Amino acid sequence: MDFKKKILITGGAGFIGSHLVRLFVKKHPDYQIVNLDKLTYAGNLENLKDVEQAPNYKFVRADITDKAFIDELFQIEKFDAVIHLAAESHVDRSITSPMDFIMTNIVGTVNLLNAARHTWESFDGKLFFHVSTDEVYGSLGETGLFTEETPYDPRSPYSASKASSDHLVRAYFHTYGMPVMISNCSNNYGPYQFPEKLLPLMINNIKNNKPLPIYGDGKYTRDWLWVEDHAAAIELIFHEGQIGETYNIGGNNEWQNIDLVHKLCEIMDRLLGRSEGTSKQLITFVKDRPGHDLRYAIDASKLQNELNWSPTLQTEEGLEKTAKWYLDNEDWLERVTSGAYQDYYKEMYG
Ligand code: NAD
Ligand code: TYD
């Protein structure tokens, strides 16, 4: 079959990537979607079981730091567009192993930019879409919001590596005229998130009656967005955004960590049939994260006004859906935490 476009999505076996791949494969049968992923601890092909047989979907296991492989893949596949999500994504890991973040998030991004630049004879109709985070803007005080004009001020090795990759993507736009777009999004939550991030970690620990570690005093604030709303925003910007532009994506939904965990505890008590207040007793205040950013909050009005996007799900509903999903998918949780999902890859792809 002749496809209208061939799109490379990197990091498609991860949390956000799997939702984005599913959206594109299902919504655009006339596009061929090539999912490239190294399958680190955070990437899991089981996340994509429902689309893996689709005629417009293909998986390639590869490491974006492998320049020779990436160059050859671009020459063979002749992609029309790239949506780049592959990354090391967890702040705590970036504090203990910064080099992994430098390699994948910076060097890997440059490999993709170079491969695209060298194989795209003309930039007409082409697009390099870079998926990034609001953490590049640094930390806010009690008030204020990040806009697309907020100067970059990253504080963790993770956010510094993402900031660096954003700068490089913009540099390829200004220097080579490469058609790029960047989106910077707030904290995502929902199904298929590896249980090292706040919400799935807490859900898993509540289920297993384990302590709920709250860093510092728990007064740190994040803006939370339902992951499918993020995927929908990327799909919209991909089709209707302006070349060279940046779009902030956020839920207009700020929570202090401690309040969010309290709300989750209430929901979990109800879902697990435990008496009210049971899960809250598991909360344990632990040593703070070094360089912990106080507050992130997004002004997403550009995306709302220019492209008519808005989030669809309220937190309470989203938290309940998320908690239910993890309780209904105990096998998934068990396999990702034990590394057994790697066996699934071997079974499927040899
Ligand atoms: P994730 O950790 O769940 O998934 C990352 C994926 O990238 C995994 O499938 C992993 O196997 C793959 N990967 C890692 N290193 C690779 C390499 N060297 N080569 C090929 N593949 C590799 O991350 P996520 O939460 O889904 O985040 C996806 C993207 O969105 C990242 O770029 C992240 O910075 C950005 N982002 C995340 C959030 C969030 O709240 N999670 C918010 C805003 C932006
Ligand atoms: P996280 O999910 O790691 O996302 P990010 O650091 O990218 O925002 O953490 C969200 C917030 O929750 C952050 O303020 C750190 C805090 N946190 C805890 O208090 N305890 C935990 O065990 C984790 C993982 C995070």
Side-chain angles (χ1 to χ4, degrees), residues 281-293:
Q281 288 168 20
L282 297 168
I283 290 175
T284 315
F285 291 92
V286 299
K287 192 168 169 287
D288 212 347
R289 172 187 280 174
H292 200 164
D293 289 335

Side-chain angles (χ1 to χ4, degrees), residues 150-168:
T150 302
Y152 276 32
D153 185 20
R155 309 296 185 92
S156 72
Y158 163 65
S159 54
S161 68
K162 291 296 293 187
S164 178
S165 62
D166 293 11
H167 287 319
L168 285 156

Side-chain angles (χ1 to χ4, degrees), residues 195-255:
E196 62 183 351
K197 304 271 170 63
L198 181 70
L199 284 169
L201 178 88
M202 296 294 163
I203 293 170
N204 200 21
N205 286 10
I206 292 171
K207 190 178 68 131
N208 296 313
N209 273 311
K210 284 171 54 182
L212 309 180
I214 301 284
Y215 299 163
D217 61 4
K219 300 257 161 94
Y220 296 91
T221 301
R222 299 290 183 264
D223 170 63
W224 293 92
L225 181 67
W226 174 243
V227 62
E228 289 180 8
D229 283 333
H230 185 191
I234 294 172
E235 195 258 347
L236 178 68
I237 299 167
F238 178 88
H239 288 102
E240 294 182 26
Q242 297 291 317
I243 299 291
E245 289 293 310
T246 293
Y247 297 87
N248 279 355
I249 310 172
N252 197 13
N253 179 35
E254 289 181 51
W255 289 78

Side-chain angles (χ1 to χ4, degrees), residues 18-217:
S18 60
H19 288 277
L20 189 72
V21 165
R22 181 176 301 102
L23 177 66
F24 267 84
V25 167
K26 291 193 170 171
K27 191 167 173 187
H28 299 287
D30 51 345
Y31 294 172
Q32 186 177 25
I33 303 303
V34 179
N35 169 18
L36 181 152
D37 199 294
K38 180 180 173 181
L39 302 182
T40 66
Y41 75 95
N44 179 3
L45 284 178
E46 284 194 50
N47 301 358
L48 288 165
K49 256 186 174 161
D50 55 333
V51 294
E52 69 192 2
Q53 303 297 345
N56 63 335
Y57 171 75
K58 188 159 105 175
F59 175 68
V60 177
R61 187 176 194 176
D63 185 334
I64 56 169
T65 68
D66 183 346
K67 179 183 179 309
F69 184 95
I70 295 296
D71 284 346
E72 200 178 330
L73 183 76
F74 271 73
Q75 270 158 24
I76 294 168
E77 295 284 359
K78 309 217 178 312
F79 300 115
D80 298 297
V82 177
I83 310 180
H84 175 36
L85 294 95
E88 286 293 339
S89 68
H90 191 44
V91 173
D92 292 328
R93 285 181 192 251
S94 82
I95 295 168
T96 48
S97 313
M99 192 51 90
D100 295 343
F101 288 68
I102 306 307
M103 292 309 295
T104 289
N105 299 1
I106 305 178
V107 177
T109 300
V110 176
N111 281 339
L112 293 166
L113 286 166
N114 279 338
R117 183 164 85 86
H118 292 134
T119 46
W120 287 344
E121 281 156 19
S122 144
F123 285 148
D124 273 0
K126 304 289 195 289
L127 180 62
F128 192 103
F129 190 121
H130 180 59
V131 176
S132 192
T133 166
D134 61 353
E135 303 190 24
V136 298
Y137 298 121
S139 183
L140 290 165
E142 302 286 315
T143 57
L145 299 171
F146 297 134
T147 73
E148 287 81 0
E149 274 72 49
T150 302
Y152 276 32
D153 185 20
R155 309 296 185 92
S156 72
Y158 163 65
S159 54
S161 68
K162 291 296 293 187
S164 178
S165 62
D166 293 11
H167 287 319
L168 285 156
V169 170
R170 271 189 205 101
Y172 275 61
F173 169 68
H174 291 293
T175 308
Y176 307 111
M178 181 177 279
V180 308
M181 290 179 199
I182 299 178
S183 59
N184 295 87
C185 187
S186 60
N187 287 57
N188 285 213
Y189 72 100
Y192 301 112
Q193 186 168 34
F194 192 81
E196 62 183 351
K197 304 271 170 63
L198 181 70
L199 284 169
L201 178 88
M202 296 294 163
I203 293 170
N204 200 21
N205 286 10
I206 292 171
K207 190 178 68 131
N208 296 313
N209 273 311
K210 284 171 54 182
L212 309 180
I214 301 284
Y215 299 163
D217 61 4

